[in-house]
């Protein structure tokens, strides 16, 4: 068994001199725990908070000894049923403490239910679970206890179980605030009511012992301030009880943890940083050098980028094809949608969305590749294009708790640098660094959730990009950058190529495919000979034929999930939700099919599919990743995580989808109509749950006070759908916040038995990086559900197949300290399966019928490469989900990709684009074509000029060809 990693307290004061309250928090593996810790730190002055897992295995005596070190205890929420020992752990012993060992306790949700169960109440299922449901009319006992001076209470619920005190009808009529005969020691403090579930108990306290409990979640972002004040009022009552009884906890030193705490050796997702450890500080604490063994990389931090101001609106596709990348391995992170400078009169943050596209060429035998498979202890390091992999030199010690994430942290630390951006241009967010993807299964491994290999060739595939081009769509600039020293020749060559692209007529007619051509698209257009135009059209026609033939070599029919089977899985999810095991589950399924391509000359077909996808479903976070045997074609609308060089991070979960066009009438749904459709308990609850989960993930790294919600439950318009989006932000730098952080965390190891307890103190955290957040936040909460750990385990048992690259993330780690990743959804993933000999009925026909060579009917055969494609799609399942509607929503998401693989649709689109090119060419040439008898225009006689030419002259266009 791996030894525990020791860590020294990071404190600005001596623990023995602590004067503030000390609180222990029992973590039940909930995905909102860190939000509660932040609320405790906000509402209780000068507090120190310690955490321990619910399944730590302490005996009752050891627990009593531990509690003697604390002023009070909070039992947090979590999945499961308090009647099940596996779900409640050590909490059952709290309610049996002897009189001399009593201390004030607050139970939240699961803790509340456990308290009630221990003193005579029963636990029952709600008719309709209340996950993400906001109660706005909670009835509280006026002036009572923790609800004195309480105004209107709005609270968020996450529960499918309820407490029944078994009050008789007579007792309810007489006084609802009195204890019942069944539970004489429990005093009701608050009730809620809804039409389906009836009366619901929301808060209690013990009549004789200092025990309180609330069913709702005071830490949720949608619980109002009156609901959050419950924490401060509870502490006031707890402190009063300690004073009256004369109870004084021991504070001579750090709490000693007695007994065996082995569960701490397998820590949950949020606890990576919950003990104050960052990736680099863990390396230092473990005293392990773990220096990556890699081929020499030349990096210059004094290079200056070239910046070109575009005269034409060059798209990323224009740039890639103009540089001849379409048939090569390269990576593109593209913002296909135009950047909205102003929306509804509001100026949008220029770095928020849609501003930049990043082109990353991969250099043969120069670009470094870093690859990793889940379950292995080695990172494959190689130069791009080289078959030699260096496994043995980059093995992570099997006796350590270090991981591939520590290796990456050290790698990025070794390669810090910054390219100088000439004034007055804005520095782009990416100047070089690691670009690539992490699979869904790698996220599970990062969260210490048992998982098998994903089936993808690699679960992490990153390229160290030294040469890159960044398009600033907002300012109209192209940054040409290189980390290589003395690389001016390459930058100047690229600059000349871009200028040639600007002067050519190869620019995409509709760069953003929204029906609007660039206003300057016709400037500087030089007419071509008809022969040149026809030759270009012949090349395009040949490419189009190969693409249609490729798409026609397989079949999408029957390759996806069956409706009946998928709906049964939805009902299984809902059963687990009703049992209290999860609040919501993001169920997915994949459509898989094989396509055949030629062995030579078809290297650009993946690129052509990407171009089709970006036309069908343009997206803010599109991506094209092609490397060796793997291709990712993504039109993702969802940012997962971004952090800037100065330490501001942002996550943007999307939950809640509305089709933009009505199937029956074809009419467009307006933004206002979409907002009304999304304003339902189901849609709002889905998004709220993930928002609270992400706050928890960020607090786990950034600490108390360093996270805020920038935008809550906002409707955003995309190409084919409307999405409900929230934006959560945080700061890696504590001095950026409007209020000082109160709580940070550190870990304490005891050498005897390897016992562990986590402790939070009022002091500065160790230094953190965006990589710490990335590891802590994976897998993406919008693709799992909440609580994350239990939800992932449930989904594994229901889906029964690894997701692979789908549901993972793709993006970059910048050498200057920034990073940006999107969720891999609305995406198609390809893996090459090798070669196959196939029969064709007519060697000159399209491959509409084929099978293995072993057929006795084979007359002619050719060797083809087999490409295995997979398109994943799914959605969040809640108690309010309707199986038929969820299956339909999954189909809507999948349809945005499927049309790009439909040969009939693609053939029709190609003909339409051909017509557009011909029409546009005529439009651009028209100003230079005059009737044979037209008079020669004289200076000053503007009225005799053609209208298009007049407009060009008035706009200051080039006129060198007149």
């Amino acid at each position: 068994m791996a030894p525990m990693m020791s860590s020294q307290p990071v404190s600005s004061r001596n623990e023995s001199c602590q004067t503030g309250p000390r609180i222990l928090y029992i973590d039940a593996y909930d995905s909102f725990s860190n939000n509660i810790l932040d609320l405790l730190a906000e509402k209780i002055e000068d507090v120190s908070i310690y955490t321990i897992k619910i399944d730590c295995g302490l005996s009752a005596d050891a627990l009593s000894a531990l509690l003697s070190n604390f002023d009070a205890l909070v039992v947090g929420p979590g999945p499961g049923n308090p009647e099940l020992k596996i779900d409640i752990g050590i909490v059952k012993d709290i309610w049996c403490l002897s009189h001399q060992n009593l201390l004030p306790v607050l139970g939240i949700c699961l803790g509340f239910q456990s308290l009630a169960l221990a003193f005579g109440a029963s636990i029952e299922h709600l008719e309709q679970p209340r996950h993400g449901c906001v109660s706005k009319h909670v009835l509280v006992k006026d002036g009572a206890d923790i609800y004195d001076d309480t105004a209107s209470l709005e609270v968020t619920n996450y529960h499918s179980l309820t407490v029944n005190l078994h009050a008789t009808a007579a007792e309810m009529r007489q006084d609802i605030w009195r204890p019942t005969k069944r539970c004489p020691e429990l005093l009701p403090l608050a009730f809620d009511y809804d039409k389906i579930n009836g009366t619901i108990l929301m808060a209690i306290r013990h009549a004789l012992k200092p025990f309180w409990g609330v069913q709702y979640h005071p830490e949720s972002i949608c619980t109002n301030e009156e609901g959050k004040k419950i924490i401060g009022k509870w502490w006031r009552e707890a402190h009063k009880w300690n004073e009256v009884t004369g109870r004084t906890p021991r504070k001579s030193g750090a709490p000693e943890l007695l007994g065996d705490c082995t569960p701490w050796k397998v820590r949950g997702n949020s606890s990576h940083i919950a003990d104050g450890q960052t990736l680099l500080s863990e390396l230092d604490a473990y005293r392990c050098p773990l220096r990556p063994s890699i081929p020499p990389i030349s990096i210059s931090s004094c290079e200056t980028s070239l910046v070109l101001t575009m005269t034409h609106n060059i798209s990323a596709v224009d740039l890639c094809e103009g540089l001849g990348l379409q048939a090569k391995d390269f990576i593109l992170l593209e913002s296909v949608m135009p950047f909205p400078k102003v929306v509804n009169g509001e100026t949008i943050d220029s770095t928020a969305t849609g501003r930049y596209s990043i082109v990353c060429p991969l250099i043969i035998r120069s670009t470094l590749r870093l690859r990793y498979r889940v379950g292995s202890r080695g990172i494959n390091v190689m130069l791009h294009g080289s078959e030699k992999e260096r496994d043995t030199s980059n093995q992570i010690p099997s006796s350590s708790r270090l991981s591939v994430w520590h290796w990456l942290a050290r790698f990025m630390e070794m390669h810090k640098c910054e390219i100088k951006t000439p004034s007055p241009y804005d520095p782009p967010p990416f100047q070089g660094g690691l670009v690539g993807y992490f699979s869904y299964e790698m996220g599970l491994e990062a969260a210490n959730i048992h998982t098998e290999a994903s089936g993808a060739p690699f679960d992490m595939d990153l390229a160290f990009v030294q040469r890159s081009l960044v398009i600033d769509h907002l300012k109209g600039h192209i940054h040409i950058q290189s980390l290589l020293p003395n690389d001016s020749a390459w930058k100047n060559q690229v600059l000349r190529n871009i200028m040639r692209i600007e002067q050519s007529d190869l620019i995409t007619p509709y760069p953003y495919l929204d029906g609007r051509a660039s206003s300057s698209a016709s400037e500087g257009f030089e007419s071509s000979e008809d022969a040149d135009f026809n030759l270009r059209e012949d090349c395009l026609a040949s490419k189009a034929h190969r693409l249609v033939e490729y798409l026609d070599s397989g079949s999408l029919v029957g390759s996806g999930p069956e409706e009946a089977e998928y709906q049964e899985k939805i009902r299984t999810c809902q059963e687990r939700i009703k049992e209290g095991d999860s609040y919501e589950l993001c169920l997915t399924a994949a459509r898989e099919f094989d396509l055949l391509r030629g062995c030579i000359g078809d290297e650009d077909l993946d690129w052509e599919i990407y171009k089709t996808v970006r036309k069908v479903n343009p997206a803010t976070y599109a991506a094209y990743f092609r490397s060796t045997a793997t291709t990712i074609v993504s039109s993702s609308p969802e940012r997962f995580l971004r952090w800037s060089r100065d330490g501001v991070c942002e996550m943007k979960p999307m939950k809640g989808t509305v089709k933009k066009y009505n199937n029956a009438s074809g009419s467009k749904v307006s933004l206002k109509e979409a907002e009304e459709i999304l304003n339902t308990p189901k849609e709002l609850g889905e998004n709220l749950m993930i928002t609270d989960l992400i706050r928890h993930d960020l607090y786990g790294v950034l600490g108390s006070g360093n996270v805020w919600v920038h935008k809550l439950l906002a409707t955003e318009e995309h190409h084919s759908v409307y999405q409900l989006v929230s934006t959560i932000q945080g700061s890696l730098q504590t001095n950026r916040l409007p209020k000082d952080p109160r709580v940070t965390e550190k870990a304490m190891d005891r050498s005897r038995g390897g016992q562990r307890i986590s402790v939070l103190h009022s002091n500065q955290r160790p230094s953190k990086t965006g990589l710490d957040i990335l590891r802590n936040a994976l897998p993406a909460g919008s693709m799992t559900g909440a609580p994350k750990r239990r939800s992932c385990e449930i989904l594994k048992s229901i889906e029964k197949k690894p997701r692979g690259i789908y549901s993972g993330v793709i993006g970059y780690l910048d050498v200057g300290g920034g990073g940006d990743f999107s969720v891999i959804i609305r995406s198609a993933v390809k893996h090459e399966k090798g070669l196959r000999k196939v029969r064709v009925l007519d060697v000159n026909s399209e491959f509409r019928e084929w099978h293995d060579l072993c057929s006795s009917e084979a007359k002619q055969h050719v060797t083809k490469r087999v490409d295995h494609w997979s398109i994943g799609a799914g959605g969040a399942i809640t108690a309010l989900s309707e199986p038929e509607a969820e299956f339909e929503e999954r189909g809507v998401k999948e349809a945005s990709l499927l049309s790009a693989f439909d040969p009939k649709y693609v053939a029709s689109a190609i003909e339409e684009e051909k017509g557009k090119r011909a029409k546009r060419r005529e439009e651009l040439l028209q100003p230079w074509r005059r009737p044979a008898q037209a008079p020669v225009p004289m200076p000053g006689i503007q009225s005799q000029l053609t209208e298009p030419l007049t407009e060009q002259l008035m706009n200051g266009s080039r006129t060198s060809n007149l």
Side-chain angles (χ1 to χ4, degrees), residues 76 138 243 305 336 393 401 448 517 595 632 715 745 781 808 933 949:
V138 177
E243 286 187 333
S305 64
V336 180
S393 59
R401 292 176 58 243
N448 284 326
L595 298 179
I632 302 172
T715 302
E745 303 159 314
Q933 303 301 321
L949 183 58

Side-chain angles (χ1 to χ4, degrees), residues 548-570:
V548 173
E549 184 180 80
Y550 174 63
L551 298 177
D552 207 21
S553 66
S555 175
L556 300 179
V557 179
S559 60
E562 294 292 335
E563 182 174 359
E565 180 185 3
Y566 192 78
Q567 289 186 18
E568 183 59 32
K569 290 182 177 181
I570 292 173

Side-chain angles (χ1 to χ4, degrees), residues 268-269 272 405 441-449 775-776 778:
N269 190 39
H272 286 298
W405 297 97
E441 278 68 31
M442 185 157 181
L444 294 179
E445 185 182 69
N448 284 326
I449 300 171
R775 175 184 69 160
N776 200 53
L778 287 173

Side-chain angles (χ1 to χ4, degrees), residues 8-240:
Q8 297 300 319
V10 184
S11 181
S12 59
R13 59 182 179 180
N14 192 306
E15 177 72 15
S16 61
C17 298
Q18 179 184 330
T19 58
R22 180 189 284 167
I23 291 177
L24 179 65
Y25 178 82
I26 297 181
D27 184 0
Y29 294 99
D30 194 68
S31 288
F32 306 145
S33 293
N34 290 330
N35 303 342
I36 297 175
L37 299 180
D38 175 70
L39 186 60
L40 289 169
E42 178 186 344
K43 299 300 182 182
I44 303 175
E45 185 176 357
D46 200 27
V47 67
S48 293
I49 309 168
Y50 297 72
T51 67
I52 189 171
K53 292 296 184 184
I54 198 170
D55 58 350
C56 66
L58 283 177
S59 66
D61 291 340
L63 180 61
S64 296
L66 173 65
L67 295 178
S68 65
N69 293 278
F70 295 94
D71 294 273
L73 171 69
V74 177
V75 181
N81 190 317
E83 296 177 304
L84 301 179
K85 184 178 179 180
I86 192 173
D87 291 334
I88 205 63
I90 63 172
V91 174
K92 65 184 185 303
D93 297 323
I94 299 295
W95 319 120
C96 304
L97 290 171
S98 63
H99 179 73
Q100 62 270 25
N101 290 324
L102 282 179
L103 80 166
V105 181
L106 173 65
I108 300 174
C109 200
L110 181 67
F112 159 81
Q113 295 168 2
S114 175
L115 166 61
L117 182 66
F119 293 98
S122 62
I123 304 300
E124 301 176 355
H125 289 87
L126 290 168
E127 286 295 322
Q128 184 179 90
R130 291 152 51 96
H131 294 136
C133 168
V134 179
S135 299
K136 297 185 178 182
H137 303 289
V138 177
L139 178 65
V140 301
K141 188 175 181 180
D142 292 337
D145 207 78
I146 58 175
Y147 288 107
D148 67 325
D149 193 28
T150 298
S152 178
L153 198 63
E154 294 186 12
V155 297
T156 303
N157 303 285
Y158 291 111
H159 65 111
S160 58
L161 305 176
T162 186
V163 169
N164 188 349
L165 298 180
H166 295 279
T168 65
E171 287 174 328
M172 291 295 289
R173 285 195 302 269
Q174 184 178 12
D175 188 353
I176 63 172
W177 306 115
R178 286 186 179 183
T180 65
K181 290 181 180 180
R182 171 84 174 261
C183 308
E185 296 173 297
L186 297 179
L187 300 173
L189 297 179
F191 288 95
D192 193 15
Y193 175 85
D194 68 48
K195 293 180 180 179
I196 297 176
N197 295 299
T199 302
I200 301 169
L201 182 65
M202 297 294 282
I204 56 173
R205 74 152 293 171
H206 196 280
L208 303 175
K209 298 181 180 182
F211 298 159
W212 291 261
V214 294
Q215 176 64 79
Y216 57 86
H217 283 242
E219 82 287 353
S220 172
I221 190 63
C222 281
T223 294
N224 68 359
E225 184 58 29
E226 290 297 315
K228 297 180 189 299
K229 286 180 180 178
I230 184 70
I231 296 296
K233 293 178 180 179
W234 164 76
W235 170 243
R236 180 197 65 198
E237 296 298 318
H239 180 64
K240 187 186 302 182

Side-chain angles (χ1 to χ4, degrees), residues 715-908:
T715 302
E716 285 189 358
E717 182 176 358
H718 295 268
H719 181 71
S720 58
V721 296
Y722 293 98
Q723 298 268 192
L724 197 61
V725 181
S726 293
T727 305
I728 304 95
Q729 297 178 335
S731 176
L732 289 160
Q733 307 296 329
T734 56
N735 58 6
R736 292 180 57 89
L737 297 174
K739 60 179 181 179
D740 293 333
R742 289 169 173 252
V743 178
T744 58
E745 303 159 314
K746 64 183 180 181
M748 302 170 61
D749 254 344
R750 298 300 165 208
S751 59
R752 291 179 292 180
Q755 298 105 0
R756 176 175 287 266
I757 183 169
S758 291
V759 56
L760 291 82
H761 280 295
S762 302
N763 55 66
Q764 183 74 15
R765 277 180 170 273
S767 60
K768 303 168 288 287
T769 69
L771 197 59
D772 290 304
I773 303 176
L774 182 61
R775 175 184 69 160
N776 200 53
L778 287 173
S782 61
M783 300 306 298
T784 61
K788 186 184 288 187
R789 168 178 285 276
R790 183 72 66 90
S791 296
C792 289
E793 293 168 347
I794 293 171
L795 289 168
K796 278 180 58 184
S797 67
I798 295 175
E799 294 180 352
K800 294 184 172 23
K801 293 181 66 176
R803 296 184 181 180
I805 294 173
Y806 169 70
S807 293
V809 296
I810 187 169
Y812 65 80
L813 299 168
D814 175 54
V815 291
D820 201 346
F821 287 84
S822 65
V823 184
I824 303 177
I825 55 175
R826 315 291 200 276
S827 305
V829 178
K830 186 205 80 175
H831 302 304
E832 292 185 6
K833 292 176 62 175
L835 302 177
R836 180 184 296 173
K837 290 185 178 181
V838 298
R839 174 181 70 88
V840 292
L841 299 180
D842 181 354
V843 74
N844 296 316
S845 70
E846 297 176 353
F847 291 90
R848 299 184 184 277
E849 184 176 345
W850 54 272
H851 54 72
D852 292 336
L853 180 62
C854 61
S855 171
S856 59
E857 300 177 5
K859 298 180 180 179
Q860 292 179 320
H861 65 272
V862 294
T863 300
K864 289 283 184 176
R865 290 191 180 276
V866 181
D867 293 340
H868 181 74
W869 286 92
S870 175
I871 300 175
I877 309 302
T878 71
L880 300 177
S881 295
E882 297 179 2
E884 297 82 1
E886 291 296 340
F887 183 78
E888 181 182 351
E889 180 180 323
R890 184 199 171 279
V892 170
K893 296 173 180 177
E894 186 182 62
S896 62
L897 272 294
L898 284 181
S899 54
F901 290 86
D902 181 350
K904 293 182 179 179
Y905 173 86
V906 172
S908 174

Side-chain angles (χ1 to χ4, degrees), residues 336-358:
V336 180
M337 299 298 289
F339 179 78
K341 299 181 182 179
V342 177
V343 175
N344 296 330
E346 177 186 357
T347 301
I348 306 299
D349 175 12
S350 61
T351 62
T353 177
R355 177 173 177 177
Y356 297 101
S357 293
I358 302 171

